[in-house]
């Protein structure tokens, strides 16, 4: 998984056209973009994980080049699943089914190390990290990817659904998210064995606000209430 290195992956004077919590995205040309972490963290492991799942035809952007905190990625065209759902173009049931399908496909891929019982977990699979392209949903932002238990990954996605569903700032989205969560859990493996670990990991996420962290116990209760009986 070697990379062709280069000095300065950004064109001079480049300005970001998209922003995340901890990274910015810059245009290279019509086919490629550069994503750069603001804190300077290296992206080689993330790139290697993306290349690994792509070998198994998992829907992930192609990686062209890596240097330090910069990664050159295939440019994707289409709305995020979140934006499509908010616009009413995708139903809550479809949101849940898409996530369940993406996790099933990921869980079928062997871990790069070959460790028995381990899979590659995304760690942050939610509607804003799914782009609806003309070829289907594509998963982005693999910064939290690692080898682990599949139940952990399902639990983490459920936690993120529950977080937004319980946040008063997004009260208008609560019915949609509850239905999406219910559909997702009904079509996924039982996340219970990984729920405590996922909650603990989420609690260590430095990008979350104190208000978001305070919702973690209620999120766990909501998830358990939506588990199939």
């Amino acid at each position: 998984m070697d990379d062709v290195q280069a000095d300065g992956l950004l064109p001079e004077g480049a300005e970001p056209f998209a922003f995340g919590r901890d990274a910015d995205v810059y245009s290279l040309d019509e086919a490629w973009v550069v994503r750069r972490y603001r804190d300077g963290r290296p992206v080689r492991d993330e790139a290697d994980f993306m290349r690994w799942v792509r070998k198994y035809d998992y829907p992930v952007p192609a990686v062209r080049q890596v240097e330090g905190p910069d990664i050159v990625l295939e440019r994707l065209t289409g709305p995020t699943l979140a934006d499509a759902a908010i616009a009413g173009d995708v139903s809550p049931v479809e949101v849940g089914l898409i996530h369940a399908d993406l996790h099933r496909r990921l869980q079928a891929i062997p871990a790069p190390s070959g460790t028995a019982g381990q899979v590659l977990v995304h760690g942050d699979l939610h509607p804003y990290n799914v782009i609806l392209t003309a070829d289907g949903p594509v998963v982005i932002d693999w910064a939290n990817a690692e080898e682990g238990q599949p139940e952990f990954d399902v639990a983490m996605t459920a936690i993120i659904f529950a977080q937004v569903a319980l946040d008063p700032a997004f009260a208008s989205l609560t019915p949609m998210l509850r239905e999406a969560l219910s559909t997702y859990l009904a079509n996924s493996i039982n996340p219970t064995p990984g729920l405590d670990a996922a909650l603990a990991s989420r609690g260590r996420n430095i990008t979350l606000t104190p208000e978001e962290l305070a919702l973690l116990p209620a999120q766990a209760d909501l998830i358990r209430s939506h588990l199939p009986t």
Side-chain angles (χ1 to χ4, degrees), residues 43-107:
V43 296
R44 183 171 295 276
D45 287 348
E46 180 180 355
D48 285 349
F49 284 139
M50 293 175 70
R51 286 169 168 159
W52 177 259
V53 299
R54 189 174 171 86
K55 285 171 50 179
Y56 292 87
D57 295 324
Y58 193 79
V60 62
V63 176
R64 189 178 79 180
Q65 190 174 347
V66 173
E67 182 178 311
D70 296 348
I71 181 170
V72 178
L73 297 167
E74 173 188 7
R75 182 189 287 271
L76 302 176
T77 300
T80 67
L81 179 54
D83 288 334
I86 292 170
D89 297 327
V90 178
S91 73
V93 169
E94 289 174 311
V95 171
L97 290 175
I98 288 170
H99 279 78
D101 178 66
L102 289 170
H103 263 137
R104 276 196 302 271
R105 295 170 65 182
L106 187 58
Q107 291 157 10

Side-chain angles (χ1 to χ4, degrees), residues 21-22 122-129 141 143-144 146 152-167 170 194-220 223:
R21 286 199 182 200
D22 50 11
H122 182 277
D124 197 26
L125 184 52
H126 58 75
Y128 276 113
N129 280 340
D141 193 357
N144 295 335
E146 60 182 350
F152 171 89
D153 216 14
V154 173
M156 187 63 78
T157 291
I159 288 169
I160 297 170
F161 274 121
Q163 172 191 321
V164 184
L166 292 170
D167 191 331
F170 300 101
L195 184 55
D196 287 344
L199 288 166
S201 176
R202 193 71 175 161
R204 295 189 295 269
N205 189 324
I206 62 174
T207 70
L208 296 183
T209 66
E211 292 77 15
E212 289 171 330
L213 292 172
L215 289 172
L216 282 172
Q219 291 164 24
I223 291 166

